[in-house]
PDB file of all heavy atoms in Angstrom:
ATOM      1  N   PHE A   6      -5.164 -20.283 -28.433  1.00  0.00           N
ATOM      2  CA  PHE A   6      -5.524 -19.279 -27.432  1.00  0.00           C
ATOM      3  C   PHE A   6      -4.257 -18.395 -27.102  1.00  0.00           C
ATOM      4  O   PHE A   6      -4.418 -17.244 -26.813  1.00  0.00           O
ATOM      5  CB  PHE A   6      -6.065 -19.961 -26.174  1.00  0.00           C
ATOM      6  CG  PHE A   6      -7.400 -20.616 -26.382  1.00  0.00           C
ATOM      7  CD1 PHE A   6      -7.847 -21.618 -25.554  1.00  0.00           C
ATOM      8  CD2 PHE A   6      -8.202 -20.256 -27.477  1.00  0.00           C
ATOM      9  CE1 PHE A   6      -9.052 -22.243 -25.758  1.00  0.00           C
ATOM     10  CE2 PHE A   6      -9.434 -20.881 -27.699  1.00  0.00           C
ATOM     11  CZ  PHE A   6      -9.851 -21.898 -26.824  1.00  0.00           C
ATOM     12  N   ILE A  10      -4.094 -14.383 -27.188  1.00  0.00           N
ATOM     13  CA  ILE A  10      -3.530 -13.618 -26.045  1.00  0.00           C
ATOM     14  C   ILE A  10      -2.433 -12.694 -26.576  1.00  0.00           C
ATOM     15  O   ILE A  10      -2.381 -11.512 -26.248  1.00  0.00           O
ATOM     16  CB  ILE A  10      -3.033 -14.559 -24.939  1.00  0.00           C
ATOM     17  CG1 ILE A  10      -4.223 -15.213 -24.252  1.00  0.00           C
ATOM     18  CG2 ILE A  10      -2.185 -13.739 -23.929  1.00  0.00           C
ATOM     19  CD1 ILE A  10      -3.819 -16.435 -23.459  1.00  0.00           C
ATOM     20  N   CYS A  25      -6.084 -12.842 -17.144  1.00  0.00           N
ATOM     21  CA  CYS A  25      -6.886 -13.628 -18.070  1.00  0.00           C
ATOM     22  C   CYS A  25      -7.454 -12.796 -19.204  1.00  0.00           C
ATOM     23  O   CYS A  25      -7.495 -11.547 -19.132  1.00  0.00           O
ATOM     24  CB  CYS A  25      -8.000 -14.352 -17.339  1.00  0.00           C
ATOM     25  SG  CYS A  25      -9.331 -13.297 -16.775  1.00  0.00           S
ATOM     26  N   ILE A  26      -7.962 -13.526 -20.198  1.00  0.00           N
ATOM     27  CA  ILE A  26      -8.685 -12.881 -21.284  1.00  0.00           C
ATOM     28  C   ILE A  26     -10.005 -13.671 -21.457  1.00  0.00           C
ATOM     29  O   ILE A  26     -10.000 -14.922 -21.204  1.00  0.00           O
ATOM     30  CB  ILE A  26      -7.794 -12.946 -22.540  1.00  0.00           C
ATOM     31  CG1 ILE A  26      -8.337 -12.043 -23.683  1.00  0.00           C
ATOM     32  CG2 ILE A  26      -7.536 -14.328 -23.048  1.00  0.00           C
ATOM     33  CD1 ILE A  26      -7.305 -11.906 -24.824  1.00  0.00           C
ATOM     34  N   LEU A  40     -15.285 -17.868 -23.488  1.00  0.00           N
ATOM     35  CA  LEU A  40     -14.155 -18.649 -22.943  1.00  0.00           C
ATOM     36  C   LEU A  40     -13.298 -17.762 -22.124  1.00  0.00           C
ATOM     37  O   LEU A  40     -12.879 -16.685 -22.586  1.00  0.00           O
ATOM     38  CB  LEU A  40     -13.341 -19.270 -24.112  1.00  0.00           C
ATOM     39  CG  LEU A  40     -14.074 -20.049 -25.128  1.00  0.00           C
ATOM     40  CD1 LEU A  40     -13.204 -20.386 -26.337  1.00  0.00           C
ATOM     41  CD2 LEU A  40     -14.651 -21.338 -24.515  1.00  0.00           C
ATOM     42  N   VAL A  41     -13.064 -18.148 -20.869  1.00  0.00           N
ATOM     43  CA  VAL A  41     -12.192 -17.377 -19.984  1.00  0.00           C
ATOM     44  C   VAL A  41     -10.884 -18.167 -19.929  1.00  0.00           C
ATOM     45  O   VAL A  41     -10.838 -19.339 -19.502  1.00  0.00           O
ATOM     46  CB  VAL A  41     -12.799 -17.201 -18.576  1.00  0.00           C
ATOM     47  CG1 VAL A  41     -11.930 -16.238 -17.771  1.00  0.00           C
ATOM     48  CG2 VAL A  41     -14.229 -16.661 -18.682  1.00  0.00           C
ATOM     49  N   ILE A  42      -9.799 -17.493 -20.297  1.00  0.00           N
ATOM     50  CA  ILE A  42      -8.522 -18.161 -20.581  1.00  0.00           C
ATOM     51  C   ILE A  42      -7.405 -17.494 -19.800  1.00  0.00           C
ATOM     52  O   ILE A  42      -7.209 -16.281 -19.864  1.00  0.00           O
ATOM     53  CB  ILE A  42      -8.196 -18.071 -22.072  1.00  0.00           C
ATOM     54  CG1 ILE A  42      -9.358 -18.581 -22.930  1.00  0.00           C
ATOM     55  CG2 ILE A  42      -6.902 -18.816 -22.421  1.00  0.00           C
ATOM     56  CD1 ILE A  42      -9.263 -18.153 -24.414  1.00  0.00           C
ATOM     57  N   PRO A  43      -6.619 -18.282 -19.029  1.00  0.00           N
ATOM     58  CA  PRO A  43      -5.532 -17.656 -18.280  1.00  0.00           C
ATOM     59  C   PRO A  43      -4.385 -17.256 -19.207  1.00  0.00           C
ATOM     60  O   PRO A  43      -4.114 -17.956 -20.185  1.00  0.00           O
ATOM     61  CB  PRO A  43      -5.063 -18.763 -17.307  1.00  0.00           C
ATOM     62  CG  PRO A  43      -5.436 -20.042 -18.004  1.00  0.00           C
ATOM     63  CD  PRO A  43      -6.678 -19.771 -18.793  1.00  0.00           C
ATOM     64  N   LYS A  44      -3.746 -16.126 -18.904  1.00  0.00           N
ATOM     65  CA  LYS A  44      -2.599 -15.689 -19.761  1.00  0.00           C
ATOM     66  C   LYS A  44      -1.445 -16.653 -19.524  1.00  0.00           C
ATOM     67  O   LYS A  44      -0.649 -16.902 -20.421  1.00  0.00           O
ATOM     68  CB  LYS A  44      -2.288 -14.262 -19.459  1.00  0.00           C
ATOM     69  CG  LYS A  44      -3.336 -13.330 -20.014  1.00  0.00           C
ATOM     70  CD  LYS A  44      -2.957 -11.876 -19.839  1.00  0.00           C
ATOM     71  CE  LYS A  44      -3.991 -10.988 -20.535  1.00  0.00           C
ATOM     72  NZ  LYS A  44      -3.754  -9.550 -20.362  1.00  0.00           N
ATOM     73  N   HIS A  98      -5.031 -25.665 -23.743  1.00  0.00           N
ATOM     74  CA  HIS A  98      -4.730 -24.449 -22.976  1.00  0.00           C
ATOM     75  C   HIS A  98      -5.973 -24.212 -22.135  1.00  0.00           C
ATOM     76  O   HIS A  98      -7.059 -23.942 -22.693  1.00  0.00           O
ATOM     77  CB  HIS A  98      -4.440 -23.273 -23.921  1.00  0.00           C
ATOM     78  CG  HIS A  98      -4.006 -21.996 -23.265  1.00  0.00           C
ATOM     79  ND1 HIS A  98      -2.959 -21.216 -23.768  1.00  0.00           N
ATOM     80  CD2 HIS A  98      -4.389 -21.395 -22.141  1.00  0.00           C
ATOM     81  CE1 HIS A  98      -2.815 -20.147 -23.002  1.00  0.00           C
ATOM     82  NE2 HIS A  98      -3.683 -20.243 -21.973  1.00  0.00           N
ATOM     83  N   LEU A  99      -5.826 -24.367 -20.841  1.00  0.00           N
ATOM     84  CA  LEU A  99      -6.978 -24.338 -19.933  1.00  0.00           C
ATOM     85  C   LEU A  99      -7.949 -23.139 -20.255  1.00  0.00           C
ATOM     86  O   LEU A  99      -7.439 -22.031 -20.536  1.00  0.00           O
ATOM     87  CB  LEU A  99      -6.472 -24.156 -18.499  1.00  0.00           C
ATOM     88  CG  LEU A  99      -7.545 -24.040 -17.397  1.00  0.00           C
ATOM     89  CD1 LEU A  99      -8.372 -25.292 -17.310  1.00  0.00           C
ATOM     90  CD2 LEU A  99      -6.848 -23.744 -16.045  1.00  0.00           C
ATOM     91  N   HIS A 100      -9.198 -23.452 -20.237  1.00  0.00           N
ATOM     92  CA  HIS A 100     -10.222 -22.389 -20.483  1.00  0.00           C
ATOM     93  C   HIS A 100     -11.522 -22.810 -19.797  1.00  0.00           C
ATOM     94  O   HIS A 100     -11.862 -23.991 -19.730  1.00  0.00           O
ATOM     95  CB  HIS A 100     -10.417 -22.151 -21.965  1.00  0.00           C
ATOM     96  CG  HIS A 100     -10.613 -23.403 -22.756  1.00  0.00           C
ATOM     97  ND1 HIS A 100      -9.576 -24.248 -23.123  1.00  0.00           N
ATOM     98  CD2 HIS A 100     -11.745 -23.973 -23.265  1.00  0.00           C
ATOM     99  CE1 HIS A 100     -10.091 -25.260 -23.795  1.00  0.00           C
ATOM    100  NE2 HIS A 100     -11.377 -25.158 -23.903  1.00  0.00           N
TER     101      HIS A 100
END
Side-chain angles (χ1 to χ4, degrees):
F6 294 159
I10 291 164
C25 73
I26 192 168
L40 306 171
V41 187
I42 307 165
K44 290 185 173 177
H98 185 139
L99 179 62
H100 48 283

